[in-house]
């Protein structure tokens, strides 16, 4: 008889940046799935090893956990528990970086507080650590741990999170994943690839803006600039539209929309759901499809 396993909705905090000057890239992902595992499946499955695209680090993904590569960020996820590896180039002060990241993430929590700070060892390097607790954006009591190191002017920060209810069940596994993190020492610059773009500039909504679009919270990405004949404009996006989903993912912020776009390639098709306030003050919901273009290379 098949054995049923259920994976309920989860939220994942992810902050990714190619340099420490863009620490505002915070990403929240949510997904729900139900899957069936047959009792005829092999009795043993081995964990897998993930290597990042630039061959800088590796990490072990246990059986039953999923890997989500997003640019320079990697998420290992199961249910409400996760471990993210974030990469920040041209960084030397990892203690300050860990403190800033903790503060940024805590802005979306309630009763967020620091419960510990110190030093540890990560991948054979001295690491700065910080631990926090509070209620995550869904109002669930949760814990958060950050551990960061610097090697060759590149910072690697592990973000580990779980609800307090799940923590006793996943603590050992999260520790194993953390200990499996390894710097490969043979990292080479990744081939320079075209950067995908929608050809528009977006920003976060204020609470007042959100109310004007009929949103209960300040989520979505407000369009404040459009490239002439860019992908977004050709798809029918107008100034002051609010992007609420992209590629099937709910958009909580401008940073999240940027992450979704960067997880694709130029020429990929991306479905956008937008809200638009008409001249008579009504809010319209539209579904558009844009074909991503390659962003111009800096001169």
């Amino acid at each position: 008889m098949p054995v049923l396993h259920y994976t309920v909705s989860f939220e994942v905090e992810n902050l990714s940046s190619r340099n420490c000057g863009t620490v505002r890239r915070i990403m929240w992902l949510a997904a729900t799935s139900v899957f069936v595992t047959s009792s005829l499946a092999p009795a043993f499955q081995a964990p897998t090893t993930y290597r990042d695209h630039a061959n800088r680090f590796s990490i072990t993904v246990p059986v039953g956990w999923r890997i989500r590569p997003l640019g320079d960020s990697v998420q290992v996820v199961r249910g409400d528990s996760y471990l993210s590896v974030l990469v920040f180039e041209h960084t030397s002060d990892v203690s300050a970086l860990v403190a800033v990241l903790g503060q940024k993430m805590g802005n979306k929590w309630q009763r967020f507080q620091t419960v510990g700070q110190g030093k540890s060892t990560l991948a054979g390097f001295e690491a700065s650590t910080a631990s926090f607790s509070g209620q995550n954006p869904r109002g669930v009591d949760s814990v958060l741990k950050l551990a960061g190191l610097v090697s060759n002017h590149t910072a690697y920060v592990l973000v580990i999170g779980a609800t307090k209810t799940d923590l006793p069940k996943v603590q050992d596994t999260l520790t194993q994943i953390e200990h499996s993190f390894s710097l490969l020492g043979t990292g080479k610059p990744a081939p320079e690839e075209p950067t995908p773009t929608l050809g528009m500039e977006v920003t976060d909504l204020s609470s007042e803006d959100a109310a004007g679009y009929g949103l209960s919270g300040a989520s979505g990405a407000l369009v404040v600039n459009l490239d002439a004949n860019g992908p977004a404009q050709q798809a029918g996006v107008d100034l002051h539209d609010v992007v609420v989903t992209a590629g099937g993912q709910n958009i909580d912020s401008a940073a999240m929309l940027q992450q979704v776009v960067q997880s694709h390639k130029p020429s990929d098709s991306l479905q956008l759901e937008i809200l638009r306030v008409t001249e008579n003050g009504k809010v319209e919901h539209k579904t558009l499809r844009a074909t991503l273009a390659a962003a111009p290379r800096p001169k």
Side-chain angles (χ1 to χ4, degrees):
M1 176 180 295
V3 179
L4 297 180
H5 297 268
Y6 298 90
T7 300
V8 298
S9 65
F10 62 86
E11 293 189 10
V12 176
E13 293 176 62
N14 170 49
L15 186 154
S16 172
S17 174
R18 291 186 178 274
N19 57 67
C20 62
T22 55
V23 297
R24 293 177 300 171
R25 288 172 160 184
I26 299 176
M27 180 175 185
W28 301 80
L29 298 179
T32 302
S33 62
V34 177
F35 58 93
V36 177
T37 304
S38 170
S39 59
L40 299 178
F44 173 77
Q45 289 179 295
T48 58
T49 299
Y50 172 86
R51 290 173 178 255
D52 86 306
H53 64 93
N55 202 37
R56 294 167 296 191
F57 67 85
S58 66
I59 195 165
T60 297
V61 183
V63 175
W65 292 64
R66 291 181 293 171
I67 190 79
R68 289 175 175 266
L70 289 170
D72 273 353
S73 297
V74 173
Q75 304 155 6
V76 183
V77 182
R78 182 173 183 177
D80 291 302
S81 307
Y82 59 90
L83 182 149
S84 301
V85 181
L86 316 178
V87 181
F88 299 84
E89 297 178 349
H90 312 299
T91 303
S92 58
D93 190 345
V94 71
S95 297
L97 177 60
V98 166
V100 169
L101 293 180
Q103 181 182 14
K104 292 287 185 181
M105 293 178 181
N107 287 340
K108 289 183 177 281
W109 288 46
Q110 298 294 326
R111 299 206 300 268
F112 190 77
Q113 60 181 342
T114 302
V115 296
Q117 291 178 310
K119 300 290 184 180
S120 67
T121 300
L122 179 62
F125 290 78
E126 181 179 85
S128 295
T129 64
S131 300
F132 309 91
S133 67
Q135 289 186 339
N136 69 19
R138 292 190 296 119
V140 180
D141 289 337
S142 303
V143 295
L144 189 69
K145 175 186 174 183
L146 277 68
L149 66 87
V150 170
S151 175
N152 295 325
H153 304 291
T154 298
Y156 301 86
V157 180
L158 272 58
V159 180
I160 304 166
T163 65
K164 288 187 176 179
T165 300
D166 288 344
L167 187 61
K169 297 178 287 187
V170 299
Q171 179 69 76
D172 289 346
T173 303
L174 287 171
T175 300
Q176 291 172 9
I177 301 172
E178 179 182 1
H179 289 171
S180 75
F181 175 77
S182 177
L183 296 182
L184 300 176
T186 58
K188 299 178 181 179
E192 190 172 353
E193 298 180 353
T195 301
T197 182
L198 279 168
M200 66 181 185
E201 183 181 350
V202 296
T203 189
D204 293 342
L205 277 77
S206 66
S207 299
E208 292 77 10
D209 291 334
Y213 290 87
L215 295 169
S216 58
S219 62
L222 177 65
V223 179
V224 294
N225 194 22
L226 282 168
D227 293 347
N229 297 317
Q233 188 179 73
Q234 291 182 2
V237 176
D238 287 344
L239 280 176
H240 308 130
D241 285 349
V242 172
V243 181
V244 291
T245 75
Q249 297 188 36
N250 293 329
I251 300 301
D252 291 334
S253 64
M256 183 174 181
L257 178 59
Q258 184 179 22
Q259 282 283 9
V260 172
V261 170
Q262 291 186 348
S263 69
H264 290 74
K265 297 179 180 180
S267 79
D268 282 353
S269 178
L270 192 65
Q271 181 171 296
L272 304 173
E273 293 187 29
I274 65 165
L275 298 178
R276 177 178 298 166
V277 177
T278 64
E279 292 182 357
N280 58 9
K282 292 185 178 180
V283 178
E284 291 184 342
H285 180 279
K286 291 182 175 291
T287 300
L288 308 174
R289 185 167 289 277
T291 300
L292 299 177
R297 297 186 184 278
K299 297 180 180 180

